[in-house]
Every structure is written in structure tokens, then in C-alpha cells.
Amino acid sequence: MMAERLEKIRRVLDQRELDAVLFTHAANIRYLCGFSGSEGALIVDRQGSFFLTDSRYTTQARREVEADHVVEYRTMVEGAVAGLRERGFRKVGFEADHLVFSRLEKLRCQSAPDLEWVPLGSEIRPLRGVKSSREVEIIRAAALLNAEAFEEIQAMIRPGISERRLALELEFALKRRGGEEKAFDFIVASGERGAMPHGLASEKILGADEMITIDFGIRRHGYHSDETVTVGLGRPPERLMQAYDVVLTAHDLAVKCLEPGKSLKEVDAVAREHIRSHGFGEFFGHGLGHGVGLEVHEFPVLSPRSEDVAVEGMVVTIEPGIYIFGLGGIRIEDMVVVTADGCELLTTIPKSYRSFAG
Ligand code: ZN
Ligand code: ZN
């Protein structure tokens, strides 16, 4: 499994005429050698790979890392520089999206004066974009936890409970089922707060006749789920009921048109155009979706500016929304995997409109 992944890096070495690539981003390191800790570095060259970490992690690394060598360092910079010097490397790539500037400065300062550091962006950004069938099954299992946890707490969605309490109950339900950690701070935004796309759960108490947007997910075996449900209490404002229909249809249209070869900008446009044509265009500001995997937001992007194209095996979200200041908001989010001739839902909570109590 790792050999195939390292092969992708060897192609980058050839393409950019590099001796090696230094990885410091935890998700990429986990993908390339299996290390699940938070601090380490992986150097991949033409012959093999070596993993470096500090004393807190060496035991764990010897157990789980698939690399030719595991080396303990005092500081990452010291360890990486020594490893590169030993091998006489002259041209080394690094993750331009992730390596912190001050660390790069230290690497430059301490490595041999003729060592060239080459920023890599588009060459490695798609690295984890296409999932293996095994990865898809792990993600599907994480998505199933969402459905089970939501089922468990849905009786609590009624006037009188606070947003934060709902978020906490969801987190308990997910972790009781084996979830490792929440994928992000849950969004529970009711009533007017629904107008904030990222309205974190607050002390607000759910009232009668409101819409509630709940965006939640969990990490399991390193992979994430991410799903948004918007439900009603009683009789929410008529305009929001209309908006719900529009968002749901936009979501369905996007799911229907996503297939291999399709530009993701186009998929975004299908949903966006539907929302615009129903007079809600100004209320949908964010992109339609994003890749999900070892990180909850990763390559590719579905947005008006995306240059990415759908490939079989990609796992992405479809999450159109409408947010109206002073009134409330709707978002409907599912995760899908791109299949040979379309895409398949991984999240399973029904998205047709549901009204709870009231
Ligand atoms: Zn989400
Ligand atoms: Zn999302």
C-alpha cells in the first residue's frame, strides 16, 4: 500500500529533478508511512524513505511506521538537516502549503549552503485526493456514526434545550460508538443564528418555530465524516421553508451531475445557478464543497474558482446553503464518493425536510 503511495512521490522527484522531499504535514506523513502522531518528519528519496521524530514518539513510530529507517531527533530541523547531509542531497522539495516560514528559515540556515529548497504546491496537493476502496470504506463507517448519533439525539431537538447541549450530546453519542475526536467544533445554529454559516453552538436555547442547522462529524481511524442537517421546529418562517426547497434541489442537482471528468467548478455552478434563479443568489457565499479524508477539508475544492476535475475515488462534500441576515439559514451537506459513472452518497441521514416537535 505505502509502496504505491511513495511511487507518486518518486514521480514528483523526477518531474522536478529533486533528490528528496521533506514532509512535515501530519496528514501527508500518515498517508505515506502510517505514523498517527502529531510531530515528525518524513524524507522520501529515490531509494527509500526515513522517518524522524522525537523521543515521545519513537516507540509508537517503531510499531506503526512503514519506512526504511526510524530516527530519533532532538529537533526536527537538526534531524532533517543531518539526514540530508549524510546522503549528500542537493535539491530537496518541501510542502509549500504547510511548512512554517520560520522553520524553513532554520532549515536554510543549518543545511549545506549549496542545498536548494524547492517549494511544492500543485505537485503534491492532489496526493490524497483519490481514495482507495479501503479508504472509502473507512470513511463510510465514519459517516455511519453520524447517522447513528443523530438518530440517538434527535428526540432532544425541541424548544428549551441549548445549542451547546445538543452539540455535547452529539459528541458523546459519536464517541460512545468509537469516534476518536470530533472533526471540528460542531455548528448548531438556530433561529436567526442560522444566518451564520459557521455559527458555533452557543448558549442560545432553541425556540418554537425555528430552523436549526447542525453541522457535525467525527474522526475514526484517522478519517473524517462531515455532514449538515437542517431541521425545523414548529412552523419556521415561510421564506426559510422556500429556501429549504431551493437548497435541497440545488444539492440534488449537484449530486446528480457529479461524475468523473466533470470540472468541479461546473458542479458548483449547477447548484449556484439554481439558487440564483430562485432569487437567493446573494445569500450563498461559500463554495459548494471540499474533499474529505485524513483532513476534514482537503483537496479538491468545489467552488467558482476551482480548477480541479472529478476523478473516480474522490470523496467530496456537496453543501449548498442560504443564509439570510435577521431571519436564519439552511445548509444541507452530504459526503459522496465519485464512482465510475456518477457518485454515491456516503452520509445517510435523510435530507428531505423534517419538522420536530412544536
Ligand atoms: Zn460540514
Ligand atoms: Zn463540509
Side-chain angles (χ1 to χ4, degrees):
M1 182 173 74
M2 295 307 173
E4 229 171 88
R5 294 176 179 180
L6 291 177
E7 239 357 90
K8 297 185 195 176
I9 305 306
R10 306 249 152 75
R11 284 198 287 275
V12 177
L13 296 181
D14 289 341
Q15 186 193 332
R16 297 296 311 266
E17 299 177 322
L18 301 171
D19 294 317
V21 179
L22 167 68
F23 289 94
T24 53
H25 184 54
N28 284 339
I29 290 175
R30 183 163 188 163
Y31 186 75
L32 292 169
C33 75
F35 178 66
S36 67
S38 58
E39 184 66 34
L42 180 74
I43 294 175
V44 179
D45 59 45
R46 284 193 171 68
Q47 274 69 51
S49 63
F50 58 106
F51 177 74
L52 308 124
T53 192
D54 65 45
S55 60
R56 293 170 300 165
Y57 285 119
T58 36
T59 307
Q60 176 181 341
R62 294 212 162 89
R63 209 171 47 229
E64 64 183 15
V65 165
E66 277 184 53
D68 300 312
H69 309 281
V70 172
V71 184
E72 186 176 309
Y73 58 59
R74 276 194 305 150
T75 75
M76 189 281 277
V77 170
E78 219 178 271
V81 164
L84 294 169
R85 180 169 301 146
E86 238 168 70
R87 290 161 180 82
F89 291 154
R90 293 284 175 75
K91 206 172 162 188
V92 179
F94 65 93
E95 300 152 297
D97 292 341
H98 302 291
L99 186 66
V100 171
F101 184 74
S102 59
R103 257 187 167 180
L104 176 62
E105 289 287 272
K106 278 188 194 148
L107 284 165
R108 277 202 174 118
C109 215
Q110 294 181 30
S111 52
D114 60 346
L115 193 152
E116 185 187 346
W117 289 96
V118 180
L120 300 176
S122 57
E123 301 91 338
I124 52 172
R125 213 167 283 135
L127 177 64
R128 295 179 281 115
V130 173
K131 273 65 179 176
S132 67
S133 52
R134 203 181 113 74
E135 288 180 288
V136 172
E137 290 322 307
I138 296 172
I139 295 172
R140 194 193 300 276
L144 188 64
L145 296 188
N146 267 39
E148 291 176 359
F150 190 75
E151 167 89 27
E152 182 185 318
I153 66 106
Q154 69 182 33
M156 292 180 216
I157 305 179
R158 52 183 147 69
I161 192 170
S162 74
E163 294 175 348
R164 200 170 280 173
R165 178 67 191 276
L166 267 188
L168 184 63
E169 295 294 342
L170 259 179
E171 186 179 342
F172 270 132
L174 287 161
K175 288 186 173 171
R176 217 182 286 121
R177 288 173 169 77
E180 290 161 6
E181 191 46 85
K182 38 183 191 168
F184 46 86
D185 286 333
F186 296 166
I187 289 160
V188 179
S190 60
E192 287 186 22
R193 295 191 74 252
M196 295 187 284
H198 276 191
L200 295 180
S202 75
E203 296 297 349
K204 181 185 172 297
I205 305 291
L206 304 197
D209 307 323
E210 289 183 339
M211 288 274 195
I212 305 132
T213 300
I214 304 174
D215 188 348
F216 68 113
I218 192 76
R219 189 181 76 221
R220 181 96 202 272
H221 301 308
Y223 288 80
H224 297 86
S225 59
D226 181 12
E227 182 170 16
T228 308
V229 184
T230 300
V231 297
L233 277 181
R235 296 171 60 88
E238 193 49 39
R239 189 151 157 77
L240 284 184
M241 296 297 289
Q242 288 166 6
Y244 193 97
D245 274 346
V246 172
V247 172
L248 183 59
T249 305
H251 162 279
D252 294 350
L253 289 171
V255 169
K256 204 179 284 172
C257 82
L258 177 56
E259 60 182 15
K262 196 99 176 173
S263 96
L264 297 179
K265 187 198 304 196
E266 235 175 280
V267 179
D268 175 278
V270 166
R272 201 167 298 280
E273 176 53 27
H274 179 78
I275 291 172
R276 196 198 59 78
S277 71
H278 285 75
F280 290 101
E282 62 182 298
F283 306 114
F284 177 31
H286 58 74
L288 181 68
H290 53 87
V292 186
L294 287 170
E295 288 175 287
V296 70
H297 290 113
E298 60 180 37
F299 176 90
V301 183
L302 291 81
S303 81
R305 290 161 301 281
S306 178
E307 289 173 8
D308 308 328
V309 172
V311 176
E312 184 178 355
M314 280 180 171
V315 171
V316 300
T317 67
I318 302 286
E319 49 179 309
I322 290 176
Y323 314 93
I324 306 174
F325 180 75
L327 188 64
I330 316 288
R331 180 166 61 259
I332 297 172
E333 175 180 28
D334 274 315
M335 292 166 70
V336 301
V337 56
V338 179
T339 58
D341 57 357
C343 72
E344 183 196 336
L345 288 176
L346 294 174
T347 38
T348 58
I349 302 173
K351 299 303 188 298
S352 51
Y353 181 72
R354 282 196 288 175
S355 175
F356 290 155

